[in-house]
Amino acid sequence: MNIKEVKSFSKSIEILNKYKHKLTNEQFERIFSTISSHAIENQFANEQNILDLIALETEELDVDELIKIIKKRCDYE
């Protein structure tokens, strides 16, 4: 999978805003907060990261399921 690297907080938020319609205000704010916290350390969320956060927040996946998916995605098992 080819995941584009994101190099700015504003780009991460631009991506998050694309999916805002799928989230309640509370869910959006929690994800925004997570993205903001990581951006302080110059770690910017790409689209896949944001989709993963949305899946957790909307309970499409639980943490254990997401960890398995990420390990598989990264060829780490």
Side-chain angles (χ1 to χ4, degrees):
M1 174 183 271
N2 187 11
I3 300 172
K4 282 189 174 182
E5 184 178 349
V6 172
K7 299 185 181 195
S8 72
F9 173 71
S10 60
K11 182 63 179 170
S12 294
I13 297 308
E14 182 182 317
I15 295 167
L16 176 60
N17 280 326
K18 281 184 5 183
Y19 299 99
K20 188 174 186 173
H21 67 280
K22 294 183 173 191
L23 302 164
T24 66
N25 285 337
E26 293 80 14
Q27 291 169 326
F28 179 86
E29 290 300 323
R30 282 192 292 267
I31 295 172
F32 183 93
S33 177
T34 299
I35 293 169
S36 299
S37 296
H38 284 83
I40 291 170
E41 300 295 328
N42 289 322
Q43 297 174 351
F44 306 110
N46 62 31
E47 189 154 11
Q48 187 60 61
N49 300 143
I50 292 168
L51 289 170
D52 292 343
L53 289 168
I54 290 170
L56 285 174
E57 193 62 51
T58 59
E59 298 181 349
E60 290 174 39
L61 296 172
D62 66 28
V63 174
D64 292 330
E65 292 169 323
L66 183 57
I67 289 170
K68 287 178 188 173
I69 291 168
I70 291 171
K71 283 182 176 182
K72 193 175 216 178
R73 194 183 295 153
C74 297
D75 254 352
Y76 179 82
E77 292 194 53

